[in-house]
């Protein structure tokens, strides 16, 4: 057997070398094809990780008379993170904004490149007694523009104060469910649910939530927000 090995050794070494060269050539030729899915996934992952939620609103989201960390977007971001959802929440709330003002600055807000937007406007239209039809038209335009930008949108509703009368309340309160149905988007019916008229959860003006009030808003909206982000 030693003689055979000695006799055929040069041939075997030559054949092994030839195979090695062949394997190397095949590997080099197939490498781009084999690596393509891996590279595609690697390039796609930063985009999926770059999701951002923007809250377009008024003083209720801006955090009127509150430290920045106590505002709704900041508390919402912390609540999401506690549930394993690491998504930045951009505060695009401006105190005093009506639906018209929100529409006017929408391009600026979308420049933040959000992937999801919660629209929480209309409270100031109602408090000023502006025509509900005007608020409806503005919110319709806001939702349409967000969708045209390829961004997912959710609507946070508002209810009219009883002192504005039954007719005004009927016209105003129907805005949000009507638009949600029209555009096929999720709706949280009343942004201040559980907070309005509770002195313990509001600032001295009785209109704006304090830190604890915002925490209630986050707690109550969170299930809907999570479903919105998952879908």
């Amino acid at each position: 057997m030693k003689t055979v090995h000695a006799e055929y050794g040069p041939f075997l070494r030559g054949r092994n070398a030839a195979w090695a060269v062949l394997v190397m050539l095949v590997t080099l030729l197939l490498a781009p094809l084999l690596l393509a899915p891996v590279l595609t996934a690697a390039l796609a992952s930063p985009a999926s990780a770059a999701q951002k939620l923007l809250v377009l609103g008024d003083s209720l989201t801006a955090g009127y008379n509150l430290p920045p960390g106590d505002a709704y977007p900041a508390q919402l971001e912390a609540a999401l993170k506690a549930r394993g959802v690491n998504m930045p929440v951009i505060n695009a709330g401006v105190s005093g904004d009506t639906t018209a003002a929100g529409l006017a600055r929408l391009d600026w807000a979308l420049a933040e490149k959000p992937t999801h937007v919660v629209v929480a406007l209309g409270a100031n239209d109602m408090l000023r007694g502006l025509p509900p039809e005007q608020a409806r038209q503005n919110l319709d335009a806001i939702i349409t523009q967000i969708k045209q930008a390829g961004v997912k949108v959710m609507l946070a509703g508002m209810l009219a104060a009883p002192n504005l009368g039954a007719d005004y309340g009927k016209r105003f309160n129907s805005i949000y469910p009507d638009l949600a149905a029209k555009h096929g988007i999720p709706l949280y019916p009343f942004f201040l649910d559980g907070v309005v008229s509770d002195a313990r959860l509001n600032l001295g003006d009785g209109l704006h939530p304090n830190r604890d009030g915002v925490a209630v808003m986050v707690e109550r909206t969170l299930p809907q927000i999570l479903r919105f982000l998952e879908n």
Side-chain angles (χ1 to χ4, degrees):
M1 183 63 70
K2 290 180 180 179
T3 304
V4 171
H5 276 200
E7 181 178 355
Y8 289 97
F11 169 74
L12 293 172
R13 286 193 297 273
R15 186 175 66 175
N16 287 341
W19 273 108
V21 172
L22 180 60
V23 169
M24 181 178 67
L25 290 173
V26 171
T27 301
L28 290 173
L29 290 171
L30 292 180
L33 296 176
L34 296 173
L35 290 175
V38 177
L39 292 172
T40 301
L43 291 172
S45 58
S48 62
Q51 294 190 103
K52 292 190 290 186
L53 171 62
L54 183 141
V55 184
L56 181 72
D58 45 39
S59 56
L60 298 178
T61 55
Y64 177 79
N65 274 0
L66 296 176
D70 290 345
Y72 177 83
Q75 290 201 43
L76 177 60
E77 182 174 323
L80 289 172
K81 188 173 183 179
R83 286 156 181 78
V85 181
N86 295 313
M87 181 181 294
V89 180
I90 303 166
N91 189 342
V94 175
S95 294
D97 259 13
T98 60
T99 55
L103 176 59
R105 64 182 176 88
L106 183 56
D107 284 337
W108 168 81
L110 291 178
E112 296 281 352
K113 302 297 182 184
T115 54
H116 300 73
V117 173
V118 173
V119 177
L121 286 164
N124 287 313
D125 296 66
M126 179 267 296
L127 290 174
R128 297 179 188 183
L130 299 178
E133 293 73 23
Q134 177 180 307
R136 180 187 293 268
Q137 182 178 357
N138 292 332
L139 287 170
D140 193 6
I142 288 171
I143 295 168
T144 299
Q145 189 171 332
I146 293 172
K147 292 176 67 177
Q148 287 175 345
V151 178
K152 297 179 180 179
V153 57
M154 171 181 157
L155 193 57
M158 185 54 56
L159 295 176
N163 64 310
L164 292 171
D167 178 67
Y168 188 96
K170 181 179 180 180
R171 289 154 55 209
F172 184 88
N173 295 344
S174 64
I175 292 173
Y176 299 91
D178 286 355
L179 290 179
K182 174 182 177 179
H183 290 278
I185 61 174
L187 167 69
Y188 183 78
F190 184 35
F191 197 40
L192 288 173
D193 182 44
V195 177
V196 68
S197 299
D198 190 334
R200 299 168 302 171
L201 301 177
N202 286 278
L203 299 176
D205 61 11
L207 294 174
H208 296 93
N210 57 26
R211 183 183 187 280
D212 292 337
V214 172
V216 170
M217 294 169 65
V218 169
E219 179 184 7
R220 297 204 175 196
T221 58
L222 187 60
Q224 180 79 60
I225 296 285
L226 287 170
R227 288 193 294 271
F228 171 51
L229 298 179
E230 289 170 0
N231 291 334

